[in-house]
Every structure is written in structure tokens, then in C-alpha cells.
Amino acid sequence: MVDGVVENDDYDVFRFRAEAGQTLIFDVMATRAGSRLDSTITILDERGAELDFIDDYYIHKDPYLSFAVKKTGDYFVRVAAATEPIATLLDGRKYSSYRLVAGAVPHMLHVLPAGALRG
């Protein structure tokens, strides 16, 4: 889990190593956590070529990406703003915060039925 900030014309890039056959989850929590960031996720290979991209997944504009690794190696995940960040710093720079959950982590997308009894 990584907490980050995206400023004007800015993006964050994180390097990671992945093994062939893994499925990695990348989930940005921004609007769901009260931030006004409308973000994107991009997966890049070791040369910077785009392998996967998503803008909006959840109804609240946060992106979620499930990435199936085809080849063992180093990769990068880039978190960027789809639109100009909202909040303004004292020096005039605009920014928005986010939390990125990343890795081979269990992740539930849907629950059916929508409710159940405890226990």
C-alpha cells in the first residue's frame, strides 16, 4: 500500500518485479476516500512500453486493474491524474492525494447475494 500525491502535470511511477503467471492487483483509492483526484493507472514494461491502462473502473472514477504477468521481469505502475488536480497549495501548485493498493493480494470485486446474515 502506498499513499501518494499527484500535482499539476505530474505522475508517480513505482517499479516492481513480477513472476510469469502471477496476477497482480492495482487499485487506486482516491474519490472513495474523499480525494477529488480522477486518476489513471498504466502498467509499463522495463523499456517504458505501455502494457495496460485504465481510467475509470468504479462508479466513483477510481481505477482498478488486474494484471496477468506473461513474462518474469521488472515492470512499472504509473498513477496519474486524468484531469487537473483540485486542491491548491500555498505556492499555487494544485494537488490531489490517493492510496494505491498493489500486489498479489486477495481482492473481492462482487458479492452475491448483496447481503447475508452474520455467522
Side-chain angles (χ1 to χ4, degrees):
M1 190 175 336
V2 177
D3 290 331
V5 171
V6 174
E7 296 180 14
N8 299 27
D9 302 320
D10 177 35
Y11 52 85
D12 293 341
V13 177
F14 303 98
R15 180 180 176 173
F16 63 94
R17 180 129 182 108
E19 301 292 325
Q22 281 185 304
T23 298
L24 303 177
I25 301 302
F26 299 92
D27 188 4
V28 171
M29 189 180 306
T31 57
R32 291 176 290 154
S35 174
R36 296 189 180 248
L37 178 64
D38 179 8
S39 61
T40 64
I41 297 174
T42 307
I43 304 296
L44 308 165
D45 69 11
E46 58 198 13
R47 294 180 174 197
E50 185 177 302
L51 300 176
D52 212 341
F53 171 85
I54 190 156
D55 184 355
D56 298 334
Y57 178 83
Y58 296 101
I59 193 169
H60 302 292
K61 297 190 176 194
D62 288 341
Y64 166 91
L65 186 104
S66 176
F67 178 65
V69 180
K70 294 180 181 164
K71 180 177 146 189
T72 299
D74 291 331
Y75 295 87
F76 299 89
V77 57
R78 179 176 61 207
V79 178
T83 58
E84 185 173 305
I86 302 297
T88 305
L89 296 170
L90 292 176
D91 63 5
R93 290 181 297 157
K94 294 183 184 277
Y95 77 97
S96 290
S97 61
Y98 67 89
R99 173 168 284 165
L100 171 65
V101 175
V105 297
H107 198 81
M108 186 170 26
L109 293 178
H110 306 285
V111 177
L112 292 174
L117 297 174
R118 287 187 185 184

